[in-house]
Amino acid sequence: MEIARFDAELTSALPGVGGEDQEEHGELAPLAAVLLRTESTSSSQIEDITAGAKALALATVGERTGPNAAMVAANVTAMQAAVAMSEDLSVDSLRAAHAALMAGQDYAAPGRFRTGAVWIGGTAPTPHTATFVPPHPSRVQATMDDLIVFCHRTDVPVLAHAAIAHAQFETIHPFADGNGRTGRVLVHAMLRAAGATRALTVPVSAGLLTDTGSYFDALTAYRDGDLTSIVSRFARAAFTGVTNGRVLTEQLQSLYATWEQSLHARRDAAAWTVLPLLIRQPAVTVRWVADHARVSQPAAQRAIDQLLAAGVLIPATANRRNRVWIAEDVTAALDDFAARAGRRG
């Protein structure tokens, strides 16, 4: 109920792309995009893949950043796939999400089930000291088929259903790498498929990130036959994530109100169209603004100049060609969200 309430109250909390325009162009309203990105970032952080909000924003517009930012950006793409996956949750759609997540990382065989043994825990080059050894690769396809049948049941409470499916996915460990992040994509696909969320990606991973030890302990307990621990952990994570998400939303709403007071431009100016877009994508180029605000490149440059004068944007790079501008107040709010969630590093 709390997840559904959060989804409903924030659906139109900030102006932005919506209605027929949203459907035609596949855009997410600002807060929906922000929460999807924060959830993707938190899910990556659980695996100790940490990237600051500024680095992620720059990676999203094609700027060179560290490898972690690129991996988190790929996780954003995979989380976006969860939205589409909710309408066709299948083994193939999970493999497609994994392919998006691990694109370019050949060692992980993106989109393909593992062909060798994997194990969790232990330091030896063999699984003899491991804390858990997932099923033999020859059994992965059958166990995944069984999991998808379970995912399509309608007689299990929504959050418990998603938590148990996630734990079973992690137990199967169907891929050579990227199982944790793909398994958390599955959670959001199931929440969307069940109608608990319609527009937002609730930051459940941010709630798990606050205490990863108990999350991993709950997965271990599940493998010993205890379902209660993982369901309870996801319930706590949902409340924690929603609380954190509300704080972030209030910060961004306050920031947006300040921007509106600072921007002195005609109401039909392109700068006003760009303003809400900066909430979901705080790093922009002239080309990005032209494409997403649907204006000419000269008009995009004028919009950036007006936002620069209003203090909304600052230059992020010194290059005169393909220069990037950034709304640092947004990235600061996103980093505050990560700090509350317990980001390490």
Side-chain angles (χ1 to χ4, degrees), residues 22-306:
Q22 177 171 324
E23 294 176 5
E24 180 182 353
H25 297 280
E27 301 285 3
L28 290 168
L31 285 175
V34 166
L35 288 167
L36 183 143
R37 183 171 296 186
T38 57
E39 175 63 4
S40 303
T41 303
S42 297
S43 183
S44 297
Q45 289 162 3
I46 291 173
E47 310 298 330
D48 286 323
I49 301 170
T50 301
K54 182 176 180 178
L56 177 56
L58 291 173
T60 305
V61 291
E63 281 294 294
R64 285 190 175 183
T65 57
N68 279 9
M71 285 190 283
V72 176
N75 203 1
V76 173
T77 302
M79 199 66 75
Q80 288 170 331
V83 176
M85 188 196 307
S86 65
E87 299 179 1
D88 180 27
L89 182 53
S90 65
V91 169
D92 286 343
S93 61
L94 272 173
R95 289 171 63 161
H98 182 263
L101 174 71
M102 305 304 291
Q105 301 181 57
D106 293 344
Y107 76 93
R112 301 192 300 276
F113 290 147
R114 58 183 168 86
T115 57
V118 294
W119 54 90
I120 299 169
T123 56
T126 68
H128 294 295
T129 60
T131 56
F132 176 69
V133 180
H136 189 275
S138 64
R139 300 187 63 189
V140 168
Q141 182 67 55
T143 52
M144 286 298 296
D145 289 340
D146 176 73
L147 173 60
I148 293 300
V149 171
F150 175 77
C151 289
H152 284 284
R153 284 177 58 167
T154 58
D155 60 337
V156 183
V158 175
L159 191 60
H161 194 196
I164 293 168
H166 171 75
Q168 181 68 4
F169 179 91
E170 299 306 322
T171 297
I172 298 168
H173 233 65
F175 300 110
D177 194 16
N179 291 283
R181 286 165 285 166
T182 306
R184 288 183 288 276
V185 168
L186 172 62
V187 170
H188 291 286
M190 292 182 65
L191 292 176
R192 182 67 64 93
T197 57
R198 296 181 182 274
L200 301 181
T201 306
V202 176
V204 175
S205 293
L208 295 173
L209 185 61
T210 60
D211 184 3
T212 55
S214 65
Y215 166 50
F216 296 139
D217 287 346
L219 288 174
T220 299
Y222 172 84
R223 292 160 188 153
D224 290 334
D226 170 24
L227 276 65
T228 303
S229 295
I230 194 65
V231 173
S232 298
R233 185 67 191 92
F234 266 77
R236 293 195 305 275
F239 280 113
T240 302
V242 165
T243 298
N244 197 356
R246 284 196 172 108
V247 174
L248 173 62
T249 301
E250 290 172 2
Q251 286 181 310
L252 294 177
Q253 287 175 313
S254 176
L255 173 60
Y256 192 84
T258 301
W259 285 355
E260 288 184 308
Q261 296 297 317
S262 302
L263 180 58
H264 301 296
R266 291 174 49 179
R267 295 304 299 189
D268 61 350
W272 289 102
T273 303
V274 177
L275 203 63
L277 301 181
L278 296 174
I279 297 292
R280 67 178 175 87
Q281 177 50 41
V284 297
T285 62
V286 170
R287 180 179 292 277
W288 191 96
V289 169
D291 290 345
H292 290 79
R294 297 185 209 168
V295 296
S296 67
Q297 292 207 15
Q301 183 63 67
R302 285 195 299 273
I304 288 173
D305 290 341
Q306 290 171 325

